[in-house]
Amino acid sequence: FLFSGRAEAIRTLLVEQGVEYEETDVMPMEKWLNYWKPKMAFGQCPLLIDGDFELVQSNAILRYLGRKYDLYGSSIQEAARADIINDGVEDLRGAYTVLIYQNYEDGKDDYVKALPDKLRPFENLMKDTKGYILGEKMTFADYNLFDLLDIHLTLAPTCLDTFPALKSYHSRVLQRPGVQKRRNYSQNFKDMKINFNGKE
């Protein structure tokens, strides 16, 4: 689907790593239901095709790319730290998805009020790092954390104001040349909604 969704962190990773890729639109809905959906192991996008290897589930794709492009740390301890952050991202993204698709009008205010408690663990984990999740080198999880913060800044533009480490981190990742390339020079990015239903 040509909206940001769970695939945006994957797209940004690929662009920044200089990996050329082709994106296929699975719409219209009839095409998705009759052709693409049956091909997906869990009936969901995204799907990564790397040569003759097919992989679904957004976090599995990110981890696969992390291993392939040396974005998973240099030790099992560093890999575990990246996994911790990434799993935390998934928890909050799940709550965000429920809000967007099931309870936006009635639930947005309460969600935004509760957001500081959801962001504080990330602030605590990131406040002593220098640069990115593992220091100076990006990991697959950085792309996912950045995307999570980014969509929440659209939902609640001041949500990082009381979290200096996260605010600085988001700005740092945003200024990376590959991230700028994805955002400023990709018509694909400019044309995309964040979510399928248009709610942000």
Side-chain angles (χ1 to χ4, degrees), residues 170-182:
H170 178 269
S171 177
R172 189 178 306 115
V173 177
L174 180 62
Q175 296 307 313
R176 289 179 63 85
V179 177
Q180 287 291 300
K181 180 179 179 181
R182 167 69 185 152

Side-chain angles (χ1 to χ4, degrees), residues 18-177:
V19 180
E20 294 187 8
Y21 69 95
E22 178 182 348
E23 187 158 0
T24 300
D25 187 359
V26 299
M27 294 294 279
M29 187 59 71
E30 182 179 356
K31 178 183 174 184
W32 160 247
L33 291 174
N34 295 327
Y35 180 77
W36 283 108
K37 187 177 175 68
K39 291 177 176 290
M40 310 292 182
F42 296 95
Q44 301 169 330
C45 285
L47 164 72
L48 176 72
I49 301 175
D50 187 9
D52 60 359
F53 181 60
E54 296 187 1
L55 180 64
V56 296
Q57 296 290 77
S58 57
N59 286 300
I61 293 170
L62 281 170
R63 288 185 167 100
Y64 172 80
L65 295 173
R67 295 182 182 100
K68 182 169 182 175
Y69 296 109
D70 191 24
L71 299 168
Y72 221 135
S74 58
S75 68
I76 60 172
Q77 290 82 9
E78 288 188 348
R81 179 174 171 80
D83 283 333
I84 288 170
I85 297 287
N86 200 65
D87 288 358
V89 168
E90 178 60 25
D91 288 345
L92 184 50
R93 192 184 294 276
Y96 171 86
T97 301
V98 170
L99 170 72
I100 293 296
Y101 290 103
Q102 298 179 23
N103 195 33
Y104 187 81
E105 284 76 16
D106 294 334
K108 181 180 177 181
D109 288 346
D110 287 341
Y111 183 93
V112 172
K113 286 178 184 177
L115 194 52
D117 288 338
K118 304 295 186 182
L119 292 174
R120 191 165 293 109
F122 294 103
E123 175 76 7
N124 292 337
L125 286 166
M126 294 298 295
K127 64 184 179 182
D128 293 326
T129 64
K130 295 180 179 178
Y132 309 107
I133 290 171
L134 296 182
E136 296 181 359
K137 187 177 180 181
M138 288 280 283
T139 70
F140 76 93
D142 283 292
Y143 296 100
N144 213 11
L145 176 58
F146 169 76
D147 182 63
L148 180 81
L149 298 177
D150 206 54
I151 61 177
H152 278 88
L153 283 168
T154 299
L155 179 73
T158 62
C159 68
L160 298 185
D161 285 358
T162 56
F163 299 108
L166 290 179
K167 189 170 185 176
S168 175
Y169 169 82
H170 178 269
S171 177
R172 189 178 306 115
V173 177
L174 180 62
Q175 296 307 313
R176 289 179 63 85

